[in-house]
Amino acid sequence: SFAQHVAIAIENARLFREKERLAVQELLRLRKLAILSEISSAMQGVMQMEGLLRVGLTGVTYGGGLAFNRSILLLVDEERRRLVGRMGVGPSSAEDAGVIWQSLEAHPRPLGELIIEQAAARVGKPESTFDQLARSLRIPLHGTPSVLARAAAEARVFRIADASRDPGVCPEWEGRLEVQEFACAPLMAKGKVVGVLAVDNKFNGKPIGSEDLEFLSAFATQAGLALENARVYTSLEEANREIQRSHHRLLRQERLAALGEMAAHVVHEIRNPLVAIGGFARRLSSRLEGR
C-alpha cells in the first residue's frame, strides 16, 4: 500500500514537472508571437523599401526581438535570375557586439519603438563592413551549389550546422559569412519567393534550434508580404511622379502653344498696316522718281 502511494506521488510529481515544462514553452511561444506582432506592426508603419528593410532586419537582430546576431536580406532579381544582397544588419566584430548589447540593456525600451529608433539611427551613416559584404552578394539561382539559392528555388527553410563540411555551402558566397552554423528562410509573397533572409549567431555562439527556425519562417512570411506592399507602393509613387512630370510637360506645351498663337496674332496685326505702309511708300517713291 505504501509503495502504491509512493508510485502515485512520483507520477503526480512527474506530471507536474511536465506541465511546468509545457507552461514555460507556451509562455515562450506567446512571447515570440508577441515579438513577431510588434516587429510586424513596426514594419507596417514604413512603406519605403530601404526603411522597411532596415526596420525588419533590426527586429531580427535585436535582443528583445528574434535575437539573432546578424542578418542579411537578399532579393530575387527575376530578370537576371539571381539573388542580390540588399542589406546586412549586425555587428562587424565581437567588440562592436558587446558595445551594442550593453547599450541596449542599459536603456530598455518597448520593442516596436526601439526597432524604429535603431533603424532611423543608421540612416545616413557609412555602410558597415558587414553591410558592404551583404550588398556585394550576387548569387545565381540555378546551377550553383548554394544553400541560399536552394532556399529561394525550393521555398524551404535551411539550417546549416557545419558549414565547412556541408556540400551545399559555396565558399564564394555563404563561406564569406565565416560561421559554422547559420539558417536561411525564403520570403514569400502571393505564392512566389521574393527574397531570402539569412541569419547567424557568430558572436554569442547560441545554437539555432527548431523553434528559432519556426519563428524565422513566420517572420520571413510577414516580411515577404511587407516587401511586396512596399514594391507596390514604390511603383505607385513612381507612377504618380511620372503623371506629375507629364502634367508639367503638358502645361509647358500648352503655354508654348498659347505663346505661338499670340505671336502669330501679333504678327498678323503688325503685318497688315506694314503692307499698307509699304504700298504707300512704293507709290510715293515712284512719283518722286518721275519728277
Side-chain angles (χ1 to χ4, degrees), residues 182-197:
F182 68 91
C184 55
L187 277 63
M188 304 290 297
K190 298 180 180 179
K192 66 177 182 179
V193 178
V194 297
V196 173
L197 179 65

Side-chain angles (χ1 to χ4, degrees), residues 131-286:
D131 192 25
Q132 291 175 4
L133 166 64
R135 293 176 186 270
S136 68
L137 295 176
R138 301 289 186 274
I139 306 175
L141 286 173
H142 302 287
T144 56
S146 167
V147 68
L148 295 176
R150 284 187 63 193
E154 302 176 16
R156 290 174 50 198
V157 177
F158 286 90
R159 181 179 72 88
I160 302 300
D162 190 355
S164 60
R165 298 183 181 180
D166 196 301
V169 174
C170 182
E172 185 179 354
W173 297 301
E174 296 92 346
R176 295 170 63 188
L177 298 177
E178 298 179 346
V179 292
Q180 286 300 312
E181 183 181 34
F182 68 91
C184 55
L187 277 63
M188 304 290 297
K190 298 180 180 179
K192 66 177 182 179
V193 178
V194 297
V196 173
L197 179 65
V199 298
D200 65 55
N201 289 324
K202 180 175 182 178
F203 301 114
N204 63 11
K206 178 185 174 183
I208 300 175
S210 57
E211 189 173 333
D212 295 322
L213 294 179
E214 179 183 345
F215 284 101
L216 177 65
S217 177
F219 170 79
T221 300
Q222 292 181 350
L225 294 173
L227 285 176
E228 187 64 21
N229 291 337
R231 281 181 172 177
V232 173
Y233 179 80
T234 302
S235 299
L236 289 176
E237 273 195 330
E238 181 58 34
N240 184 51
R241 285 194 292 268
E242 182 59 34
I243 290 173
Q244 290 180 351
R245 287 193 291 266
S246 300
H247 179 66
H248 292 319
R249 286 195 298 267
L250 181 60
L251 288 177
R252 185 169 180 271
Q253 291 171 358
E254 287 179 351
R255 286 196 294 266
L256 291 175
L259 287 173
E261 185 177 348
M262 184 179 67
H265 180 71
V266 170
V267 168
H268 178 73
E269 293 296 326
I270 293 175
R271 183 177 58 185
N272 288 340
L274 286 178
V275 169
I277 292 171
F280 177 76
R282 283 192 294 273
R283 289 180 62 189
L284 183 60
S285 176
S286 61

Side-chain angles (χ1 to χ4, degrees), residues 6-16:
V6 170
I8 293 172
I10 291 174
E11 180 64 15
N12 289 339
R14 187 188 66 80
L15 292 175
F16 180 76

Side-chain angles (χ1 to χ4, degrees), residues 27 31 37 87 175 187 198 282:
L27 286 173
R31 174 57 183 158
S37 177
M87 187 176 292
L187 277 63
R282 283 192 294 273

